Amino acid sequence: MEKVDKTPNHKFSLVDQVENQLISYFKSMGLKPGDSIPNELQLSKDLGVARSVVREALSRFKMVGMIESHTKRGMVMTPISLFGAMRDFLIPGMLDEDTILDLLEFRVVLEIGISGMVFRNCNGRNLEELKNIVGSGGAINSNRYASDSEYAFHSKLYEISGNNSIIEFQKVIHPVLEFVEKKYNSYFEPIQKDLDSRGLHVTHKDLVDLLERRDLYGYKQAVEDHFKVYTIYLNSRKHIE
Amino acid sequence: MEKVDKTPNHKFSLVDQVENQLISYFKSMGLKPGDSIPNELQLSKDLGVARSVVREALSRFKMVGMIESHTKRGMVMTPISLFGAMRDFLIPGMLDEDTILDLLEFRVVLEIGISGMVFRNCNGRNLEELKNIVGSGGAINSNRYASDSEYAFHSKLYEISGNNSIIEFQKVIHPVLEFVEKKYNSYFEPIQKDLDSRGLHVTHKDLVDLLERRDLYGYKQAVEDHFKVYTIYLNSRKHIE
DNA sequence: ATGCCATTATTTGTCGGACAAATTAAATTG
DNA sequence: CAATTTAATTTGTCCGACAAATAATGGCAT
């Protein structure tokens, strides 16, 4: 481990440099979960900085759950889950408009992408659970559901996909989606009304029916159509720019 | 801002508590990029902890680019990009096997999901660029490309999708995909051979041709088939468990 | 009064040392 | 040799100090 560059560096603080050095160290050593790393005093000596600087860098890795520390036992690498740490500090209001809409699109794309998996994995029990959610969920109008029911339904789809990273990802961006739903409601509303009037809306019940009928292509198409409100808005927005 | 609980708390360190308090504070104040937050001394007084504790918590937010600090000017909130910070500290070896394969599947799902967008957004210039990549890329065999060409091709697809969050996400998981490609190569190889022998492989060139012919459903299906190696392996793995 | 310059004050960044608490390692004792 | 006591190690927290950067202030000449 090399000593950090202590010449007045206007771009990176010592903590930043130590963070980078540690990442390099982790990589070069090929560390795996359970492996331990040198103690703080050792690191501060090796890197030539104060212990407080090392601690601030280590603190960063602790936030994302990359290392755990215990008194006297030292510090060990812990398995990270990509999105696990993100959930806590993601504040929708801190994202700029473009990013928020990109994430809305991301979500739509993802749900279209998993439709094949969902169809494959969907069994009788899953179908019953989906029906329950659709049944109990108070539909506000044709395609707008109470937020709880909406969330429950799509969560179940992610769950059926069986991919934990995708499930975690959904949990991360959920607050962002609620945020965008509120913020852009006035844009979505008229589009939805238009779709409704033309009988082009696809309800949760429609989706469940198609799953039950084992109509793969119908289901795939219906999933796309279910998100038409968003895709129409997103596309209109792109063509303006 | 409430003082932290200093009774010997075996679960959370003071730094962890301060981190949470700060997140609550950010949320409750509805802070937006550009807004400034109280200085370290003030925070440490308000929270009833040492400045070093506050600094370790703040350091965490600095890592993910949530706040920036300058001498005398204090600290200001900065716009975060969901995945921007992740890129640095994601080490494939630190992920467990299930997560790695989930991410491989995530990628496949995502690319299937964007196929509609890619098709819509693909214009003459994009097509030319794709052709160039396909032309120059040294195909190792029918469906295995030199890593560079492979990356370039799919990067271009993400780029055509025009969604920056998706592009960033791809950059984040790219090292994971390279990792999984190596690690599971012995599993992918025979599946690929089998697909080859049955003439079921879909090359990059095939995809470009379909884009050029404006065959939407053909393209969508081809994208799915292009990833068959992975989906076959992933499915076989699920049925075993 | 205004514009420029020197001085002061504030705030982050870094350093060093101190001690408590937890827990492992070692030593002592029956 | 087992059990218990003692010591040593390492993280977590606190405190105080100073440097560097930069904003705020005040004075001075025009």
Side-chain angles (χ1 to χ4, degrees), chain A residues 15-31:
Chain A
V15 178
D16 290 334
Q17 291 182 62
V18 169
E19 182 198 326
N20 288 330
Q21 293 267 346
L22 286 176
I23 290 175
S24 303
Y25 173 77
F26 296 156
K27 285 183 180 166
S28 71
M29 298 291 283
L31 293 188

Side-chain angles (χ1 to χ4, degrees), chain A residues 166-184:
Chain A
I166 293 178
I167 291 172
E168 273 196 12
F169 181 74
Q170 190 230 4
K171 286 181 189 158
V172 169
I173 62 169
H174 178 241
V176 179
L177 297 177
E178 281 203 315
F179 183 77
V180 73
E181 183 70 39
K182 264 186 210 147
K183 187 168 177 185
Y184 292 88

Side-chain angles (χ1 to χ4, degrees), chain A residues 6 14 50-53 71-72:
Chain A
K6 272 183 154 179
L14 291 186
R51 183 159 85 104
S52 56
V53 171
T71 324
K72 167 77 183 181

